[in-house]
Structures are given as structure tokens and as C-alpha cells.
Amino acid sequence: MIVTLKGILNADQGRGKIDRHIYGHFSEHLGRCIYEGIWVGEDSSIPNTNGIRNDVVKALKQIKIPVLRWPGGCFADEYHWKDGIGPKENRKRMINTHWGGVVENNHFGTHEFMELCAQLECEPYINGNVGSGTVQEMSEWVEYLTFGGVSPMSELRAQNGRKEPWSVTYFGVGNENWGCGGNMRPEYYADLYRRYQTYVRNYDGNKIHRIACGPNVDDYNWMEVLMREAGRFMDAITLHYYTLPNDNWQDKGAATGFDENAWFSTLKKALRMDELITRHSTIMDKYDPDGRVGLIVDEWGTWYNVEPGTNPGFLYQQNTIRDALVAGLTFNIFHKHSGRVRMANIAQTVNVLQAVILTEGEKMILTPTYHVFDMYKVHQDAESLELALETGSYRIGDEEIPAVTATASRDAAGNIHISFCNLQHQADGKVELALRGLVSGDVVITGTTLTGDKWDAHNTFDQPENVKPRTFDDFAEEDGKLAVTLPPMSVTTLKLAVKG
């Protein structure tokens, strides 16, 4: 029996702005994310502008990418930025020890990344090297990027073809320093952070948000120590959490060809994001009751076994309707915590983990996750609205998760958008919302939905549009009530456009 889930949308009760940076991305020197996925070089037969793929830029601009994190990840704490500037033929070649043992030629460096952000019209988020770098190295990178006066670094930048400084708002002081960034204790990293951030200076009116390396998953002690010892020196702190079907990092589970239990467990693990943000935010509230310090979830997404026959260090995996639902329900959680969550960066943009784009030579396809970003972009910088919904129960055996999750916002033009995720792989999701703060008949409703014909439905280079959004009209509004029937395993967005 399908139960109708009841809810109330208070269209006149805002809960604060949903920061557009929640829809950020992450690009690391890992596998084919940068090289081939984004950077092909000026001499490539693949259409490019200054070496950057035109098709990828066009696709990312379509989803209004607001911010891009680079160069890592684990790669960041072995990256020495001066290796990636100057004539390409003179740049150092090195082994990428973290990811695949391949040669990194440093052809994509600071200038190329800033050019990419300019083409995307997005903000750069740069991660500095604490694990194997020096205070001087980090200080000089900030100077090279943002100082327009007379100095060795600004002169070096001019010699490399850029006289004017760039604008950089977000700078991470280290990455995963509890692990690949140095295996540090929180007390030690807190002191290092205080030292390093001192020299991440603001030049010429450029205001940098200094971002501290925060905890891995549920390491609440790390958050406690960092907020206590260094909270007043930071503008934000990070959180990393990946969704695995199981808890075995040696055999995480397949991206396709999985069973019902893997479908269910993946969604259940993704929902844990709510608990993590809630508990870490409670610690942050203790030391930062005014909410000045932002929480940045700058690595999140699904992580499966690599596709058979691919380099295990390249982390290349397929992307299905299951991943689309992980993205949708995660955004719903971020919206709920929009007072504290100021940015998030899915891992990763192209060809790595839960990518929004896959490439194969000159070919490019959009993944189901990409389409969720496109459907949810209407929530960027919108006012989060109060939405109380019976989520229902979706059970497999003794396990239970919500059947439906939802979020709502109002944009600058007054239009309301409601997004639903029906996590049930077989059953429709029936929802009835009482619309408060709206006059019945004053809105025109349209909808879009994304679903698949099976739980591992995905796009391939032979069938690039197997999973794509379609028009949705299985709803009715009457007497201030909105009745919606959501397809199984679907992400759906409704637009309530105010007449006149």
C-alpha cells in the first residue's frame, strides 16, 4: 500500500540564504580529471581555448559552477607551486606518488588554473601545502597570486605573462593533515595552522578566507581541538565524508551491477551527512556561537571500486541514478544546515569518483549527477523555506530510511522551487503539501524529473542520453494543496512561478 505523505510549505517563512558555493566542485591532479578531462593543451585536436576543453567549460557554465577547488586533495600537500609556472618546457616533471604513479609534467599550474576559473566565471579555491611545504612557500604563492605592488613575486608573475594580480577569496591551509597531509595530531596541526595562516596575507584589498583542515568523518575530537585552539584565526573549517556501500575500503562495491542491499546501504550511508553536520556544528557553536566560522564540506560523494581494466590509482567509476539520488538528498541536507554550511565541493568534477562529466578522447557525456546539479541550480543564493514533511519509511529487512526527502526555496524573483528525492526503488512517492503563504491559483506550476528504468541506469558513450531529465506533470494544485506523485528512484524539481 502506498501512503500519502503529508507536509506543509510555509512560503512566507524564510530560513536564511542557501549559499551558491554549496554547489562547488573539486579538481585534483588525479587520473584523468585535469589532464584530458579539463586540460588538453593548446595544440590538441580537441576544441579548446588556451588548452582548456571548450565542451567541458560549456557544460560546467550551464550548471553555474560557483567555485572550483585545486590542486588537491592529497596531491596538494606534495605540490610545490613554482614547479607549475614559467615556460612549459622548463617545468619540472615528477611522479604522482598518490595517484597512479604516472608522470606529472606540471603543464597545468597556477596560470592555467586561474585561466580555467576565468573561463568558467567561477571563484578559485586554492589548497596550500602544509604537509611537505614551508611557510615561505605558501606566503610567496599568496603574494604571487594577489599582490600588485613591487615585490619579487609580483615581478615573477609579470615575467610569466601576468602583470595584474588575480582575486582569490578562498585559500586552504593544508589538506587532510590527519592523514595523507602529514599524519598529524590535532594539537600539532592547530599550532601549524596558526603559524601558516599568519602569512596568508591580504594584499591590495583582496580579502582571503583562511580555511583550516577540519575532521575526517566523525573525528569530533579534531573539531574540538581546532575550534578551541585556532578558531579565532580561521574563516572556515573543512569536513570530509565519502559514501561507500559498505565499510570495506579494499572492496567498496561496484558502481554498476549492484543489488538491492547495495542500493539501500549507499543511500543510508549518504544520509549520515545530516548527523555529521549536526554534531560538528554543535561543537562549532560552543566556540563560535555567532556562526562566523563556516563549515566547508570540500570533499563529498560516492566512492566505489574502479571500473574494471582501469588504473586503480585513477579512481574512475561509472555514475548511475543511485548517484543522482545521493547528490539530491545531500543537497537537501546542506540546505537544512545552510546557516553553518557555506560551501561544499563534490569529488570530483571530471572522470574521478562521483564526476559530473566523463570524457573519452574527444567525446564527453553528462552523468546523472550532472543533471541533479542542473536541476538544483535554482536554489543557488535563494532563500531557504520552511518545509515540514512526513518522510515516510522505506524498509529493507530490519533497516529503515526515509522514503522521500525534500527542500524548498524562493528565488530573487519570488518564484518557489521544491525539490524531492524518492529513494524507493520500486514504489511511487505520493506527497500532499499544504501551501501556506500563497493564494491558491496565484502560481503556475511546472516540473522536471530524473529517473531510470533500473537502479543502475547510467549514460555511456554509446548511449549518452539514457538518463536525462524530462518534463514532469504528475501533480495537481487545488484549494491551497499540492498533490504530487513522484516516480520510483527519482529526483524531481517543481517551479511555482508567481503570476504577474
Side-chain angles (χ1 to χ4, degrees), residues 54-68:
N54 293 340
D55 53 358
V56 169
V57 168
K58 181 179 178 181
L60 293 176
K61 288 183 71 174
Q62 166 65 26
I63 59 175
K64 297 184 178 180
I65 174 174
V67 63
L68 183 62

Side-chain angles (χ1 to χ4, degrees), residues 204-263:
D204 298 337
N206 183 79
K207 175 65 171 70
I208 289 180
H209 282 66
R210 296 168 180 83
I211 301 168
C213 167
N216 183 35
V217 193
D218 57 359
D219 187 348
Y220 301 112
N221 180 60
W222 185 282
M223 180 65 83
E224 180 86 27
V225 172
L226 262 294
M227 288 301 299
R228 183 184 70 229
E229 302 297 336
R232 65 187 181 277
F233 298 104
M234 67 179 71
D235 297 294
I237 189 167
T238 65
L239 170 65
H240 289 182
Y241 176 61
Y242 286 96
T243 297
L244 281 65
N246 54 55
D247 295 320
N248 184 353
W249 279 92
Q250 282 66 50
D251 184 13
K252 295 176 283 292
T256 59
F258 49 82
D259 60 16
E260 180 182 48
N261 288 329
W263 164 273

Side-chain angles (χ1 to χ4, degrees), residues 87-363:
K88 292 184 176 61
E89 62 272 17
N90 295 338
R91 297 185 188 182
K92 293 182 180 179
R93 292 162 60 86
M94 56 181 278
I95 297 295
N96 190 330
T97 55
H98 280 293
W99 305 120
V102 295
V103 174
E104 163 68 54
N105 61 21
N106 280 302
H107 283 190
F108 189 91
T110 298
H111 288 254
E112 291 75 22
F113 174 66
M114 298 304 289
E115 167 68 15
L116 171 62
C117 291
Q119 290 189 26
L120 292 172
E121 300 175 7
C122 78
E123 293 186 76
Y125 168 13
I126 291 177
N127 235 124
N129 181 347
V130 170
S132 68
T134 65
V135 172
Q136 179 180 350
E137 181 181 25
M138 185 176 291
S139 176
E140 288 183 341
W141 199 6
V142 174
E143 181 183 324
Y144 185 91
L145 284 160
T146 63
F147 184 53
V150 176
S151 79
M153 291 304 104
S154 60
E155 291 176 5
L156 180 59
R157 184 186 64 240
Q159 291 172 20
N160 290 326
R162 173 83 184 194
K163 179 174 176 56
E164 296 300 318
W166 291 285
S167 175
V168 176
T169 303
Y170 302 102
F171 197 95
V173 182
N175 166 78
E176 293 193 355
N177 300 99
W178 36 260
C180 64
N183 290 305
M184 301 174 190
R185 297 177 301 111
E187 293 83 1
Y188 180 72
Y189 171 73
D191 285 342
L192 274 187
Y193 172 81
R194 288 168 60 133
R195 180 186 176 205
Y196 274 65
Q197 66 80 35
T198 303
Y199 302 95
V200 178
R201 293 192 172 98
N202 293 321
Y203 294 108
D204 298 337
N206 183 79
K207 175 65 171 70
I208 289 180
H209 282 66
R210 296 168 180 83
I211 301 168
C213 167
N216 183 35
V217 193
D218 57 359
D219 187 348
Y220 301 112
N221 180 60
W222 185 282
M223 180 65 83
E224 180 86 27
V225 172
L226 262 294
M227 288 301 299
R228 183 184 70 229
E229 302 297 336
R232 65 187 181 277
F233 298 104
M234 67 179 71
D235 297 294
I237 189 167
T238 65
L239 170 65
H240 289 182
Y241 176 61
Y242 286 96
T243 297
L244 281 65
N246 54 55
D247 295 320
N248 184 353
W249 279 92
Q250 282 66 50
D251 184 13
K252 295 176 283 292
T256 59
F258 49 82
D259 60 16
E260 180 182 48
N261 288 329
W263 164 273
F264 187 88
S265 65
T266 302
L267 298 177
K268 184 173 183 179
K269 295 288 183 62
L271 287 161
R272 192 185 178 203
M273 183 70 79
D274 186 36
E275 172 197 336
L276 294 172
I277 294 175
T278 299
R279 296 186 65 179
H280 283 299
S281 295
T282 299
I283 298 170
M284 295 178 72
D285 291 344
K286 176 180 174 182
Y287 298 98
D288 178 39
D290 296 329
R292 181 188 64 83
V293 178
L295 182 62
I296 295 180
V297 189
D298 64 2
E299 291 190 30
W300 69 272
T302 54
W303 195 327
Y304 311 122
N305 296 338
V306 301
E307 293 302 307
T310 65
N311 187 324
F314 281 11
L315 306 187
Y316 178 78
Q317 65 188 39
Q318 251 299 349
N319 193 290
T320 71
I321 192 65
R322 176 177 64 166
D323 300 286
L325 279 161
V326 168
L329 67 86
T330 300
F331 286 137
N332 294 351
I333 292 168
F334 289 159
H335 292 184
K336 174 183 174 182
H337 295 278
S338 58
R340 184 62 82 172
V341 179
R342 311 283 167 75
M343 186 197 295
N345 308 79
I346 192 168
Q348 290 184 9
T349 312
V350 188
N351 289 332
V352 174
L353 298 176
Q354 193 176 345
V356 296
I357 293 170
L358 302 179
T359 67
E360 190 175 273
E362 75 285 354
K363 298 179 182 178

Side-chain angles (χ1 to χ4, degrees), residues 260-265 394-401 425:
E260 180 182 48
N261 288 329
W263 164 273
F264 187 88
S265 65
Y394 173 30
R395 294 177 178 272
I396 292 184
D398 295 330
E399 300 288 324
E400 178 182 357
I401 61 173
H425 71 279

